[in-house]
Amino acid sequence: MDQKLQERIAQHPCYSEDAHHHYARMHVAVAPACNIQCNYCNRKYDCANESRPGVVSELLTPEEAAHKALVIAGKIPQMTVVGIAGPGDPLANPEKTFRTFELIADKAPDIKLCLSTNGLMLPEYIDRIKQLNIDHVTITLNTIDPEIGAQIYSWVHYKRKRYRGVEGAKILLEKQMEGLQALREADILCKVNSVMIPGINDQHLIEVNKMIRENGAFLHNIMPLISAPEHGTHFGLTGQRGPTPKEVKAVQDNCAGNMKMMRHCRQCRADAVGLLGEDRSQEFSKEKFLEMTPEYDLEQRTLVHEGIEKFKEELKIAKDKASAGKKFANNPKILVAVATKGGGLVNQHFGHAKEFQIYEVDGNQVTFVSHRKIDQYCQGGFSEEATFEHIMAAIADCKAVLVSKIGNCPQEKLQEAGIQTVEAYDVIEKVALEFYEQYVKELGN
């Protein structure tokens, strides 16, 4: 990426892998209607503890959403982005969507505005998006083949008519392509989300990647299908499986030579609040935030952001220092699981982690690969044995777990499974490289 592009995404946790360690985002649920029906979506289901697109606990009016944004901008000053991602499609609810953005832009000019859309109505609203200085738009584009699209979309509602099968998928694809090109012409950054569905579009996503790169998208987010039957989606009820982490990584790796891949996506709720990997939305339910007085302070927020940038510079120096020195050649790449609360540090207790960040290490580089959600080990009263089995299934391909602390019992279980544990409170890259050096020495003995 050139310097100008890096500056545009530097504080956007979804568009920048680096930013997601430090900056927060929030989604406001003002867009209930949708103009397509995806076979992986059911917006009627809601569990407060679940992170899944299209899920919300409460719908908001534009005025309520703006009030909530100002409240959270004061409570969480590292929050830099307000996005509208549903629970339906923002551009199927244009009045509510754009009114919300108008209110937020007027009161909080430092907050970036962002929307996620299926792209069906994008060409019609590109001028309005540009006018409101919405600089980041995500299109969910799962295929460039209408025949494949007919397997993914139940119907498409366009110009007061409902289309099914290949006909509907063809209309959607045409509008997505028009929208993608319009974003490029308007100099609006575009990220493309693609849901990976084994046996339907998994191999086809390489063609999707090539096409979107040629048409101006700068970031591609290949996400695993979520298809638990209890969600009531078509794919869930028909037994369509989601891909394994290994399968997702393989497709991402095959596309990575063409353009930047997003690997830190959490497939967030449409009312998510906080850092990626955490969700504080229950702290700010409608009943609670409407009683709060906004304490938006641009000067204070600027100071917080300057502090974050200073910390990031210090972190970069530490990373560069850790990467300097001895280089390894022809050594195997390994995966390590990291327990982190953010900040680019190993800084979380094993028993408190609800996800692990997975890094690939070769002795010279430490590369973020993905995150893997787990059941929290320390839950008090729940079966630790069953929880540990779930954790092991998530990190079985890792050689080590990097944590700030870990109890004797889980440490022994991990060792029995051939996974080493490293206790540290330091920069992720530094801890990972130090472990790798020790790992290589042990291989040679």
Side-chain angles (χ1 to χ4, degrees):
M1 296 184 189
D2 61 37
Q3 184 64 31
K4 183 179 178 182
L5 181 54
Q6 290 185 36
E7 291 174 357
R8 289 172 70 178
I9 67 171
Q11 295 184 350
H12 196 308
C14 302
Y15 279 56
S16 167
E17 181 182 308
D18 182 50
H20 100 277
H21 292 292
H22 310 281
Y23 290 103
R25 85 310 185 209
M26 67 173 291
H27 294 162
V28 288
V30 298
C34 198
N35 45 20
I36 71 174
Q37 178 58 60
C38 304
N39 287 331
Y40 50 73
C41 182
N42 178 11
R43 299 187 305 279
K44 295 179 181 180
Y45 179 91
D46 171 38
C47 173
N49 295 318
E50 184 180 8
S51 180
R52 183 169 60 89
V55 173
V56 300
S57 295
E58 301 168 316
L59 288 171
L60 306 178
T61 66
E63 291 72 21
E64 290 169 341
H67 180 85
K68 182 177 182 180
L70 293 175
V71 166
I72 291 176
K75 300 287 187 183
I76 310 175
Q78 66 269 39
M79 188 274 287
T80 54
V81 175
V82 172
I84 300 178
D89 188 271
L91 300 183
N93 305 260
E95 297 84 4
K96 295 176 180 178
T97 293
F98 294 131
R99 178 57 178 161
T100 301
F101 283 142
E102 286 174 350
L103 293 170
I104 294 172
D106 180 58
K107 299 294 185 181
D110 68 317
I111 293 179
K112 292 181 180 294
L113 304 177
C114 182
L115 68 83
S116 297
T117 176
N118 57 45
L120 182 63
M121 300 305 294
L122 184 56
E124 295 193 21
Y125 294 107
I126 196 73
D127 292 338
R128 188 76 178 109
I129 291 170
K130 182 71 173 178
Q131 182 185 27
L132 284 168
N133 197 32
I134 299 169
D135 195 41
H136 302 73
V137 172
T138 295
I139 303 175
T140 298
L141 197 159
N142 300 311
T143 177
I144 56 173
D145 183 342
E147 296 284 347
I148 295 177
Q151 301 176 63
I152 299 174
Y153 308 109
S154 176
W155 50 257
V156 173
H157 191 270
Y158 183 68
K159 300 294 185 181
R160 300 185 178 182
K161 185 176 179 180
R162 184 167 293 185
Y163 300 86
R164 297 182 182 276
V166 173
E167 186 180 18
K170 186 176 180 180
I171 292 171
L172 175 61
L173 177 58
E174 288 174 352
K175 294 305 172 183
Q176 289 173 329
M177 294 306 302
E178 288 180 28
L180 185 58
Q181 293 166 9
L183 290 173
R184 178 170 61 180
E185 292 170 4
D187 191 31
I188 297 171
L189 296 180
C190 179
K191 171 169 70 74
V192 169
N193 286 349
S194 298
V195 179
M196 179 177 165
I197 310 165
I200 294 180
N201 73 341
D202 47 346
Q203 301 306 312
H204 173 65
L205 287 176
I206 295 175
E207 296 177 47
V208 174
N209 178 266
K210 182 176 184 294
M211 183 280 297
I212 63 174
R213 173 174 55 90
E214 292 173 349
N215 286 275
F218 90 102
L219 187 64
H220 194 187
N221 176 25
I222 295 177
M223 312 178 296
L225 169 72
I226 300 173
S227 58
E230 61 265 26
H231 298 161
T233 67
H234 173 79
F235 281 147
L237 295 175
T238 57
Q240 171 63 53
R241 74 172 181 90
T244 65
K246 185 177 181 180
E247 289 172 331
V248 174
K249 183 179 183 298
V251 173
Q252 290 174 333
D253 289 347
N254 285 335
C255 295
N258 294 328
M259 67 189 300
K260 178 69 176 175
M261 301 300 297
M262 179 182 180
R263 300 178 188 256
H264 61 280
C265 175
R266 301 306 199 276
Q267 294 177 276
C268 301
R269 296 167 56 95
D271 58 6
V273 174
L275 293 168
L276 269 68
E278 71 172 3
D279 183 13
R280 299 175 59 181
S281 59
Q282 296 305 305
E283 296 178 38
F284 301 98
S285 64
K286 187 186 297 190
E287 180 183 13
K288 294 176 182 177
F289 77 73
L290 287 178
E291 296 297 321
M292 300 178 186
T293 301
E295 297 177 354
Y296 173 83
D297 185 331
L298 179 57
E299 183 176 350
Q300 178 60 30
R301 283 173 53 80
T302 300
L303 288 174
V304 170
H305 297 171
E306 288 175 350
I308 291 173
E309 291 303 315
K310 182 179 178 181
F311 177 76
K312 285 171 62 180
E313 282 297 318
E314 295 171 350
L315 202 62
K316 183 178 184 302
I317 292 171
K319 289 179 183 180
D320 292 343
K321 184 177 179 181
S323 300
K326 186 175 181 180
K327 298 295 181 181
F328 294 83
N330 301 319
N331 280 313
K333 293 181 178 180
I334 64 170
L335 299 180
V336 298
V338 179
T340 176
K341 294 183 288 186
L345 303 173
V346 179
N347 59 3
Q348 189 171 44
H349 193 291
F350 176 86
H352 298 164
K354 295 182 179 179
E355 71 167 29
F356 285 112
Q357 293 190 11
I358 308 300
Y359 285 79
E360 187 175 73
V361 192
D362 64 4
N364 304 315
Q365 288 185 320
V366 180
T367 305
F368 179 83
V369 171
S370 66
H371 69 93
R372 298 179 188 172
K373 295 176 183 177
I374 59 169
D375 294 331
Q376 187 176 338
Y377 184 70
C378 295
Q379 299 189 67
F382 291 89
S383 171
E384 290 185 349
E385 192 64 36
T387 300
F388 189 80
E389 289 178 6
H390 180 260
I391 293 173
M392 277 303 306
I395 62 171
D397 55 348
C398 296
K399 297 299 183 184
V401 177
L402 315 184
V403 297
S404 63
K405 288 289 183 181
I406 184 170
N408 291 333
C409 183
Q411 185 175 30
E412 291 172 1
K413 290 181 178 179
L414 287 168
Q415 288 175 343
E416 290 173 2
I419 299 176
Q420 299 185 45
T421 55
V422 179
E423 289 187 331
Y425 193 108
D426 210 332
V427 177
I428 291 171
E429 287 79 1
K430 180 175 181 291
V431 179
L433 288 169
E434 288 175 350
F435 166 76
Y436 188 89
E437 186 169 359
Q438 183 62 36
Y439 173 79
V440 170
K441 286 180 180 179
E442 293 177 359
L443 279 182
N445 292 337

